[in-house]
Amino acid sequence: MGAPVPAGANHLYADHISPKGVVEPTLWSYNQGTMIGAATLLYQVTGNAAYLAQARQTAAAALAYFTQAVLEAEDPFFVSVYFRNVIYFDSVTGESSASEAAQEYVNDAWLHDRLPGDVFVGGAPPSAQLLVQSAIVQIYGLLSSPRYTYF
């Protein structure tokens, strides 16, 4: 069994396929993170290096595509799924690109999306939902944990 193949030549995954078979081409960070995490888990379970290669390819494409500006336009809970999975990939491979990107993301959130009382806002329109708070806290938690304890 081979590794899953992304829908596009850019190695990123489209959002979904409708019941009528129409591909919704929107690229969201959480879709990339989910596929990176799934391929990494499959590698760990099977030992099949093709899964890790697929995760690496998607992670590289996602880190290039999802710049700080692109991530800021998404809801923080989408971004937290992305970073959770790409940091997990990094914990398996020993790479660190995702942690650097995640740190940049929360640094920006701290400076621009934090209200008095340390409440974060996010989404469109920006709001201080509990889901936004938990997303930012989750990213901080991932960054504060040693890699060997991640999984």
Side-chain angles (χ1 to χ4, degrees):
M1 178 180 211
V5 179
N10 60 4
H11 305 293
L12 296 174
Y13 291 86
D15 187 41
H16 66 273
I17 301 172
S18 76
K20 295 186 180 203
V22 178
V23 174
E24 166 52 52
T26 304
L27 298 175
W28 294 109
S29 62
Y30 76 94
N31 292 116
Q32 314 320 307
T34 300
M35 296 306 291
I36 292 163
T40 304
L41 284 168
L42 284 167
Y43 162 72
Q44 287 190 299
V45 169
T46 67
N48 183 341
Y51 290 118
L52 192 61
Q54 183 63 51
R56 180 172 280 112
Q57 192 172 47
T58 303
L63 286 165
Y65 179 84
F66 289 96
T67 62
Q68 184 68 21
V70 173
L71 291 172
E72 287 173 7
E74 290 193 9
D75 285 321
F77 37 92
F78 286 11
V79 179
S80 68
V81 171
Y82 168 65
F83 280 131
R84 178 176 62 237
N85 284 285
V86 78
I87 290 172
Y88 164 54
F89 165 80
D90 280 359
S91 76
V92 171
T93 64
E95 298 171 21
S96 62
S97 300
S99 293
E100 293 167 8
Q103 187 66 61
E104 181 182 355
Y105 180 81
V106 292
N107 287 350
D108 186 77
W110 185 263
L111 294 173
H112 300 108
D113 300 328
R114 186 171 51 101
L115 300 175
D118 295 332
V119 173
F120 291 94
V121 294
S127 67
Q129 298 176 47
L130 181 58
L131 196 52
V132 171
Q133 310 315 301
S134 64
I136 299 295
V137 168
Q138 182 181 111
I139 297 169
Y140 274 116
L142 291 167
L143 291 169
S144 68
S145 300
R147 283 185 180 184
Y148 64 88
T149 63
Y150 190 65
F151 274 91

